[in-house]
Each structure stands twice: as structure tokens, then as C-alpha cells.
Amino acid sequence: MSVTGAHPGIFDGLPAAPRPEPGGNYLTQTRGLRSWLLTLDHKRIALMYMLGVLSAYLLGGCFALALRAILFHHNTQVFAGNPARTWEFYNNMFTLHGAVMVFMFVIPAIPAVIGNFVLPMMLGAKDVAFPKLNLASFYCWVGGGLFFCFILLKGVLNVAFPALIHLWGPGGLDTGWTFYTPYSTTTNSAVISATLGAFILGFSSILTGVNFIASIHMLRPRGMGWFRMPLLLWALYATAVIQVLATPVLGITLLLLIAERTLHVGIFDPALGGDPILYQHFFWFYSHPAVYIMILPAMGIISEVISVFSRKHIFGYNFIAASSLAIAFIGFLVWGHHMFVSGQSPLADAVFSLLTFAVAVPSAIKTFNWTMTLYKGDIHLKTPLLYILMAIFLFTIGGLTGLFLGSLSVDVQVHDTYFVVAHFHYVMMGTTLFAFVGGLYYWWPKMFGRMYSENFARWAAVVAFVGMNLTFFVQFIMGAQGMPRRYATYPAQFTIYHQISTIGAFTMGLGMFLVLLNLLHSLKFGKKAPPNPWGSNSLEWQTTSPPPTENFKTRPVPGDPYDYTGWRYVSEEEGYVRIQPPPAAPVPAAP
Amino acid sequence: MMPILAQIGSRLWMPPAASSFAGNTDWLFYFVYWVSVIMFLLIMGLIVYFVIRYRHRPGNPVPRSATAHATVLELTWTIVPALVMLFMFEKGFHGLIDETTPPDYAYTINVTAYQWGWNFSYPNGATSNELHVPLDVPVKVVLASQDVIHGFFIPAFRVKKDVVPGRYNTAWFEATRLPPVRSDGKRYFDLFCTQYCGMAHSRMRAKVFVQDSTSFQHWLDATANWVAHTPPAVAGHKLYQIKGCMQCHSDQPNTIIVGPSFHNLWGHTQVMSNGEKITVNENYVRQSILDPGAKIVSGFQNDMPSFRGRIKDDEITAIIAWLQSISDKGPKPLPMTAPKAQAQAHTPGTAPKQGGQH
């Protein structure tokens, strides 16, 4: 198998991207729009993904703020004298927020952006195993994503401006991102188009997963055995396995949903002789593993960053690596905990509850290991580490509140309430987003060759962190008191919690805006980045910042990725340089 | 120690417990809560301490990697949490079994959920859109849905179960205390729909009244055949409120919630979506209730569920009487030949005002 795309493939008929010129870096070696759109370079694909994923985040985030604004009062009337229209508006918006955030932001964010950029370089390789597949996955994402957003936005806009229906017809989705039957087979919103969009997005996810699995198997350099890989690679590997095994189930489920709506085959709709609970089984068989697609890569980033900034070997490497695989495996067996109150048998409830607690154990192991990595370290509290510590803080809350949801009798009370909303956002939004932003700051110098403003970045982090907790912590309280989720209006006794939450959401929005401002500012005004600003020992730092298109002039020799004794900070360089030559002969691969 | 701590926390977290098994649920909630608080403080305390204690200072010794691994420690923090969680699992499962096993002698109430409302029917034929339950008596609810999945949730009782079309789910509870007085001066608990069911999902709430057995029995008897003992127009207005009509139809002038307003509807001519013109009369009203999709007023969608099987003939008659009373084209009062006082007493126009005060 060749490493880069010199072999014949589906792009042969297309005009080739311009050849890179020698000298310069991957950003400057070729120029022009076509050199980006047809690029096979994993780094450029990663940056295009970044643009797309952050746009999706902006869209989903704006709608989150709109939802929180509506919930500021317990009976907000957006359209005077027409409450039903307000409810329809809200329902379309929360569906858009959830579906866009899940399918277009949280799932692809870390693997497709940071994974794509970093994975081949951590392996000391020129590119991923299948560069053309990588580009194909990006266009699946763009195509599916644009279609998906168009359908969903149409619904929101149609409610806001009814005249638009004459322009582009009905559309929209008001089922929530879960598409529960039989509501989704009976509502007159555009379920078929929307599921088709999600289906195509699923393919993008599968292709990325296949690519990562092949890359990690085929491209590890001599001397990098499985247990000498950086932990981010373990996390991405476990994620990729889930992507490849679980996503097809979602695809099949969505196709069955389309078949039921168009051909009236009774699968999920009881009116046609189907079983609505069957849909939930199929859906959560994908969507529960999918939450590990969202969280595992974040755990990988945490493991990298916490060790580098403690200047100390990661604690319990084997346990962290094994716990990623354990989470991936057990994660496939816990889907039934989404259905504790659906009327499934108490035996099934018991089995799923027990397995749910089982999946909490590896998560706890990781948290303890991260904590111990700090012990007796030499800790540099730079922005990436600050974000990572915030992510651990949020993950601890998100993880511990999972224990409430796993305990059957307590789950009965908090199921389908804001308690679940808060839990989910602490893990997905808190941990994954904060680790993602931390990772962006961490690899930003490598990506663009520029340093960001450290003080500004820290303040932005604090604003976002305060906003995050303000938004979601009160949701635990109102959830325990019984506030159901997906409510456009609510009983007045919950008003105070909703108001705090809304204020928090806008604070968080401000924090995120400051992050964006800082990163954009750095592109133009940031200081030039040294090759290794943080003193990491993993291979992506052993080349220039930004790297050339082929990543390395000479293939680097891997050592222990968490052994920092070979690097020393040199203030003239404003970065770390080697104080001893790399080992002469590659270490034999561990079994 | 634990119960005292639970007392402190209980104001903030769980709502007041009002069913027989709520105490067990709350005990486990606060057990998990305090385990979580302790674990959280432990981890965060250590992180904050380490970050401060081992912060970078010039001349710090290079960290040694000897502390990169400790099997005994790793095994400890794997096994101890696993055992604690096993305990939580056992307690939770035990609680669930209690919650899913009603006593044989439980009083049964049939619950029907529909888009968007609740209907509770009692063994003596009484039906209501508010749940009335006797105090200190185990009550089993048999849950059925007419359309999509709904969720039956009474926070004060710690009971929740999805209402799934095509099957019966059951739940039970025993109310152990009277509800608090609410802002409208009545005493009730909240009942929420917790499974997203479309447009008016957030309005699919109901009130839960808990009564001692005497007043419950009294309410039951009065509810079973109240229509027969109530003036038709008054009964019609009440039916409008309790059958769920008011979720979508306003009785005020020029107000549209989802469907057409009922104000000045009777006797007026409406244009249907197929262009047909219909003057609202008895048979049109009857058909619109039992077969709502048959004739749709132009400009509206076919959103209404059929009430066939959920409404009796004398109830439709009462609704017709009320519709007449709130229209300028309703039947005129008796000619003025009768004594003045008597005629006023029968003026249909007075009925909705009375009804409105309920």
C-alpha cells in the first residue's frame, strides 16, 4: 500500500492540483483556490474541515442562544397572538440546534480537524493511508452538511416568514435529533430529506474512521510499537473502530425510516403493525456508541496536553490506552439505558444498568491517571493546559452525574428532564468542546506557525468556563425538580433557573467569541512559532512550524512520546530544542 | 450523618416527596449525590493543589519519570469505585422493582394520552382531564396512547413511564401527602408529558389532585354524570376546557391558537379548503368533532385528532349549546311576553360568564 496518492483512483479524470514548489510550508507551497479544493494533503483537508466544523458550531450556537432567549420567560410569545407558531418555531429550532451540533460539530470536530492534522504527523508519515478517501470524506461532509442545514433552516425560516413557503416549499424538521417514531413517521415536516442528509454525513464519518484505522495499522514507523504510540492515537483508533462499526446501523435505521414513510411498510409505526420501541433500539445502538465517538478523542487530547505541560511522563499509560478500548467495547452494550422508562422489561433494565456502571470504571481510571500525572510535575499553566483542566473539571461533573442516570430508581425521576440535558452538555459540550479548544490552542502554532496571545486566551477561557457552568449547573437542579426537556413553555416555578441558564449561555457565547477573536488575531499579528514551543516529544513537533507539504524533511525517529528529558527550553528560540541527539538506532518494536 | 446532609440538600434538589417509594428514590439520589460531591472535591482539590504546589519555577528539578506507574494504586482506584457502583446498582434495581410492582389491591385508573392532552377514566365511568387520586391508596395507572409516544411523569411521586402507542404500559404510586397550595390557590401536583410529541408538547401538562377517600368518592360520583345535572351551555363550556378543545381553539374574538376561534362561529358561513361554503350547524359541529379531517376550514391544517370514542352524544349536544351561546347568531331568548326575571335566567348569553369563572 502506498502512502500518498500516486496510485490510480477516482480522481484521475480531474485536473491535478498544482505540484508543490520546494521550500516554504504546506500553506504557501501551492496557491489558488483549486490547490485547496483538490488537495490531498491531510493538513489542508484538516483546515477545510476546521472552517466547516466551526461554521456548523456557529450556526448551532446561534440557535442555542435563540432557544435560551425564548426560555428566559416561561411563556414567551415570539409571534403575538399565535402561541402555536411560537411552539413550532421553538421545536424547529431545538431540532436544528441538536442535529447540527451532534452530526456536524461534536462528532467530526476532533477526529476530522485535529485528528486529520495531527495523526499522520504523530506517525512520522507524509499523509494518511488513503489521501483521496480523506478528500472524499470531506466532500461527503460538505454535501451532506449543506443539504442537512438547508432543510433544517428552511423549517425555521418558514415559521418565521410564512411567505417563504411559496418561494421554496415546505421543509424543516421538528422531531428532535433523535427522530423518534411514530412521531417522525407521521409529522408533516421534511423527515426524509433530513435523514438523507444525516445518512450522507454518516458516510463521511465512516470514511474518516476507515482511514485512521488503516493509517495506524500501516504507517507506524519502525520503533513505534502499539504501546509507544501517543495516547491520542489510541483514542482516535478506538473512536475509528466505533465509527466504522456503529455508523452503518444508523444508516440502515434511517433507510428503514424512509422506507416506512414512503412505502408504508410497517416497521416502527404501530398503526402499520410496527414497533416504535424497535426504532429506539436501533437508534441508540448507534447513538450511544456515538457519544463515545464524541468523547474519546477529547480524552486523547487531555492525555497529550496534561503530560507535556507537566513536563512529566503520563501516569499509567497502559491503563489509559486500555481504558479507551474498554470504553469503545462496553460502549456498544449500554444503549438500553436510554430506554429505562420506555416499558422494557426490568431484566433488560438491570442488565443495561449494570453495564452502564461498568463503562464508568474506565472513565474514572482516566481521570485518576490525569490527576496523578500532575503530581510532582513542573507545571506550566499555559492556555492549552488551562482548557484541559477545565475539561477535566467538566468531565468529572458530567461523569459523576452519569451515576444518577445509571441508578435505575433515580433515573426514573430524572430521565427526559433537564438533568439529562445538563449531563449531556457537561460531557459533550463541556469536555469535548473545552478539550477541542485546548487542542486548537496547543496545535495552533504547528498549524499556522503563529503564537496566540497568552493572557487574552486565559481570560477568554475563564469567561467561557464561567458561562458554561452558569448555563448548565442550574439545569441539574431544575431537572431533579422535574422540569422536562424540549419544552417551549414551562411552569412558572422554574423561571429563576432558566433565567440564570440563559445569562450563562450568553456569557459562554461571549467567551467563544473572544477565543475566535484571539485566534484570528494571531494569524496576522501573532509571534512566529518555533518548531517545538511546548517541548513535546511526539513526532509532529520535530519539524518546522508550519510543516512542509510532505511533513518531514527526514523521517523522524520515534522514542517514548512522554519522555521530555531530551528537550530544554531556550529563551532566544522561545521554544524547546534537543539537548541530546536522537537515539542512533531505532528501538525494536514492542509486541 | 447521611440523613442530616440529605436534609440540607433536599431544599435545593428533589421536590417534596409525596409517594410511598419516593423516600427510597431520594435516599439513593442523595447517596449518589454525596459520593459525587466527595469524589469531585477530592479530584479537584488534588488538581488545584498540584497545580499550585508543583507550578513551574526557575530551577525546578526535572520531574522524574519514576512516578509514571503504580499497579497497586491503579488497581485500588479501579476496584473501589467498581464496588461503590455495584452498591448503587443494587439499590437502584431494588427501587425499580418496587416501582414496577403494584400491590394486587391497587385501584386502577386508565390513562389515555393524545396530541395534546390527557384523559383519565375511572372504574365508575367518570372521566377527567385532571388526575384525582385518593390519599394513602395504591393507584395503578394503565397507560395508552392514541397517536405518538408520550411520557407520564409526576415529579412529586417519583414516577415516570413512557406512553407508547400499540401497547399498554403500567405504573403505580401511593400518594402519601396532600399537595402544596399553588399560586392559583388550589392544591395540586404537576403532571408533565416527558416524551417529545410535537407542537404543543410543552402544554401537555395536567394537575394531580390528592383527596382523602371521602372527598375523592364524592368527586367520583359527581364527575361520572355531571353533564346530565348541568345546564347544557355551562356543561359545554366546561367540556371545552376539560376535553382539550381550548388547547387549540380560542373562545375570544379574532384569536387563533391553532384551529379557528369558537367566538361567533355558530350560524356563520365558513369557506372550506375545497371551496365549499358551509354554515355552522349541529351536524357540522358533530362531524368536526368525530371526523375532523372531513371538512377543513380554508387556511387551516388537518391537525386535530378524532374524538370518536372519547366523547358522548350528550356531551356533543352540550358543546353545541355553548357554541350557540357565544355567537351573535345563536338562538334568540324567549319573547318578552314572559315575566322579565324568568327570561333573563334563561338567556344563553349568561351561561359562558358563569362557566368562565370556573
Side-chain angles (χ1 to χ4, degrees), chain A residues 432-455:
Chain A
T432 305
L433 180 80
F434 276 70
F436 175 64
V437 176
L440 273 187
Y441 276 118
Y442 178 65
W443 280 289
W444 195 258
K446 186 54 67 185
M447 288 172 169
F448 296 101
R450 299 282 184 171
M451 302 301 289
Y452 55 86
S453 155
E454 189 69 51
N455 273 336

Side-chain angles (χ1 to χ4, degrees), chain B residues 155-208:
Chain B
F157 294 167
R158 315 289 188 262
V159 62
K160 181 183 290 127
K161 191 70 109 177
D162 282 358
V163 188
V164 182
R167 68 161 76 175
Y168 294 103
N169 276 345
T170 58
W172 81 279
F173 50 81
E174 180 180 330
T176 52
R177 70 148 85 174
L178 296 176
V181 179
R182 306 293 289 264
S183 52
D184 58 3
K186 295 184 191 170
R187 299 172 73 99
Y188 58 86
F189 293 120
D190 291 315
L191 186 156
F192 297 126
C193 174
T194 45
Q195 198 62 267
Y196 174 70
C197 56
M199 183 182 51
H201 167 57
S202 65
R203 285 314 175 101
M204 200 168 150
R205 311 175 206 152
K207 294 174 178 147
V208 182

